[in-house]
């Protein structure tokens, strides 16, 4: 038979009114550190981040038709002819994702500063460098659009 303890009985009378012990050698723990003892424990560290990464959507790179590539080339040639005027355009391009397959399409509105044919980059006036093989569309008043 197990013994039941009656906490209201006198079994603790000898210690119940003693002052709370305060160590002379160890400093008291801050309330913040005491609370941290009771914070939830993440047994799988990084699991939430991995779930978020899996949920993050990416898009496939669309393959441009030959006529779309030719139209882009014509627009780049037109921009090159009028580069001193710093034509203002909207450039839509594909940005490959660094962590998983696919990527995202991004549009930038600004003035073109330079077309670097050696590095194959379109350089905007704000310093954005766009790889020419990733460009899917260029629009602007220079083209009548």
């Amino acid at each position: 038979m197990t013994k039941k303890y009656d906490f209201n009985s006198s079994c603790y009378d000898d210690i119940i009114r003693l002052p709370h012990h305060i160590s002379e050698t160890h400093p008291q723990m801050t309330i913040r550190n005491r609370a941290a003892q009771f914070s939830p424990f993440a047994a799988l560290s990084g699991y939430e981040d991995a779930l978020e990464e899996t949920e993050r959507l990416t898009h496939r790179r669309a393959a441009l038709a030959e006529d779309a590539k030719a139209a882009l080339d014509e627009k780049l040639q037109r921009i090159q002819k009028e580069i001193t005027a710093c034509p203002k355009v909207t450039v839509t391009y594909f940005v490959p994702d660094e962590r998983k397959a696919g990527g995202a399409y991004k549009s930038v509105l600004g003035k073109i500063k330079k077309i670097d044919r050696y590095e194959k980059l379109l350089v905007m006036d704000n310093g954005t460098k766009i790889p020419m093989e990733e460009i899917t569309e260029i629009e602007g008043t220079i083209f009548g659009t």
Side-chain angles (χ1 to χ4, degrees):
M1 182 173 181
T2 60
K3 183 177 178 182
K4 283 187 167 182
Y5 289 100
D6 180 13
F7 293 107
N8 294 328
S9 72
S10 62
C11 64
Y12 294 105
D13 284 345
D14 58 334
I15 62 169
I16 198 75
R17 288 187 172 69
L18 290 177
H20 177 72
H21 172 73
I22 297 174
S23 173
E24 294 177 8
T25 57
H26 300 289
Q28 276 191 310
M29 187 180 288
T30 65
I31 292 175
R32 183 183 191 124
N33 287 344
R34 287 177 56 87
Q37 294 178 16
F38 303 102
S39 64
F41 173 68
L44 300 172
S45 62
Y47 181 69
E48 290 295 323
D49 294 334
L51 281 179
E52 285 178 17
E53 179 63 22
T54 303
E55 291 173 351
R56 191 171 55 84
L57 298 176
T58 58
H59 299 283
R60 285 190 208 181
R61 176 184 284 133
L64 290 179
E66 289 302 317
D67 58 333
K69 288 180 184 178
L72 276 177
D73 192 45
E74 287 176 20
K75 288 180 179 182
L76 287 170
Q77 288 177 19
R78 176 96 182 258
I79 292 169
Q80 184 66 50
K81 287 179 186 175
E82 299 184 30
I83 197 77
T84 55
C86 292
K88 192 172 188 178
V89 295
T90 301
V91 180
T92 304
Y93 62 103
F94 185 77
V95 180
D97 195 286
E98 295 178 1
R99 290 183 245 157
K100 60 198 262 186
Y105 283 94
K106 186 174 180 181
S107 292
V108 175
L109 172 65
K111 295 181 179 180
I112 296 177
K113 181 178 176 182
K114 176 182 173 185
I115 296 177
D116 187 342
R117 298 244 181 228
Y118 180 74
E119 294 287 330
K120 297 183 181 178
L121 295 172
L122 194 66
V123 182
M124 305 297 282
D125 63 342
N126 64 0
T128 303
K129 295 179 179 179
I130 303 170
M132 290 182 10
E133 65 270 3
E134 303 296 350
I135 297 173
T136 57
E137 183 63 49
I138 302 175
E139 298 172 334
T141 55
I142 188 174
F143 312 115
T145 57

